[in-house]
Amino acid sequence: MSLAGEGAVAIWHDIAPEGRAEFYAWHGQEHMPERVGIPGFLRGRRYVAIEADLEFFNLYEALTVETLKSQDYTARVNAPTPWTLSAVKHFRSVARSICRVAHSAGPAQGGLIATLRYDVPEGGEQAHRDALLRRFIPDLLDKPGVAGVHLLVADAEASGVATAEQKARGVANAVPRWVLLLEGWGDEADFVTLAKQELSPASLGSIGGEGSYSLGLYRHQITRTKTAWSAG
């Protein structure tokens, strides 16, 4: 299933053990409804690691990348709720990108997702994208159990803006420049094997990608779509 819009916020992070229960309650009951309640936001999803350097992956889909630069979103991230200020203090090792959805295809939404964070040398962006769209992504979509493949490219300027919410986390924010998402619907073991084989440094390097590569393998926990929401 294609992503719901042309913009996305992709966030990876760890949570300190003492903040885990609060994170789950806050994220599902307040934060995700708050985010998808912003005009132009369409859907939020959270995943937990099967095997990854960072335990949680969150994906928010928006109509356009301009939605993610809008006054509505900017005002929200610069006015954290009291519960947000409490919960985000437990975040560790955050990677976050505001992205353009460069390509999105597939027949379904899977319960498993692989995220590959990597880079592309300056000047090689178009050739790399062409190679992905010409053969690499179509070949992935032909693999058994693949539900979707999505290519995200960071808007470096928008991703680098420091917000009140980010400052409250108290940890540096890495900005992944290129992200490939592979969704699957089969058994975890088969999906892990497929993702490691197809999203390897050698596979991406042969079409212009470069490291450091970070492959994360996750299972779905929660999806939130638009509902009425109030910070009170």
Side-chain angles (χ1 to χ4, degrees):
M1 179 182 291
S2 298
L3 297 187
E6 297 176 359
V9 184
I11 308 169
W12 298 257
H13 62 88
D14 286 333
I15 289 290
E18 65 272 16
R20 194 175 186 88
E22 182 177 20
F23 166 71
Y24 275 131
W26 162 78
H27 199 254
Q29 295 171 28
E30 180 182 276
H31 189 68
M32 295 183 83
E34 173 199 78
R35 285 296 186 262
V36 296
I38 296 169
F41 274 65
L42 304 171
R43 178 169 61 175
R45 291 185 262 172
R46 186 185 72 233
Y47 298 81
V48 68
I50 301 167
E51 184 180 331
D53 61 335
L54 297 174
E55 185 177 11
F56 293 98
F57 171 60
N58 308 281
L59 182 66
Y60 295 95
E61 298 160 65
L63 282 173
T64 67
V65 74
E66 282 68 36
T67 301
L68 306 173
K69 304 177 186 180
S70 68
Q71 183 176 354
D72 290 315
Y73 182 49
T74 300
R76 187 65 267 157
V77 294
N78 282 310
T81 68
W83 201 3
T84 295
L85 291 173
S86 175
V88 300
K89 292 176 182 177
H90 302 295
F91 276 55
R92 302 290 183 268
S93 305
V94 178
R96 173 184 177 272
S97 294
I98 289 176
C99 302
R100 296 184 184 275
V101 179
H103 186 74
S104 181
Q109 176 183 323
L112 304 169
I113 197 166
T115 75
L116 181 67
R117 311 192 304 270
Y118 68 107
D119 211 341
V120 174
E122 186 175 352
E125 295 90 349
Q126 190 59 54
H128 177 64
R129 189 177 304 188
D130 289 346
L132 285 171
L133 299 187
R134 182 172 57 251
R135 184 167 181 179
F136 191 89
I137 290 176
D139 284 353
L140 277 177
L141 289 168
D142 281 341
K143 302 294 181 183
V146 170
V149 183
H150 321 291
L151 173 64
L152 310 182
V153 181
D155 183 311
E157 182 179 358
S159 300
V161 174
T163 67
E165 191 172 295
Q166 178 182 325
K167 292 173 183 176
R169 289 197 292 264
V171 292
N173 182 70
V175 179
R177 290 188 60 231
W178 290 70
V179 179
L180 263 175
L181 303 178
L182 172 67
E183 295 194 67
W185 58 38
D187 291 333
E188 283 187 8
D190 293 338
F191 179 75
V192 167
T193 299
L194 174 69
K196 287 182 175 180
Q197 177 180 320
E198 300 297 331
L199 301 182
S200 68
S203 295
L204 271 294
S206 68
I207 56 170
E210 69 175 14
S212 54
Y213 297 91
S214 182
L215 177 63
L217 304 158
Y218 297 88
R219 70 175 66 88
H220 178 257
Q221 285 192 315
I222 183 174
T223 293
R224 294 295 303 248
T225 54
K226 284 195 177 295
T227 55
W229 180 86
S230 164

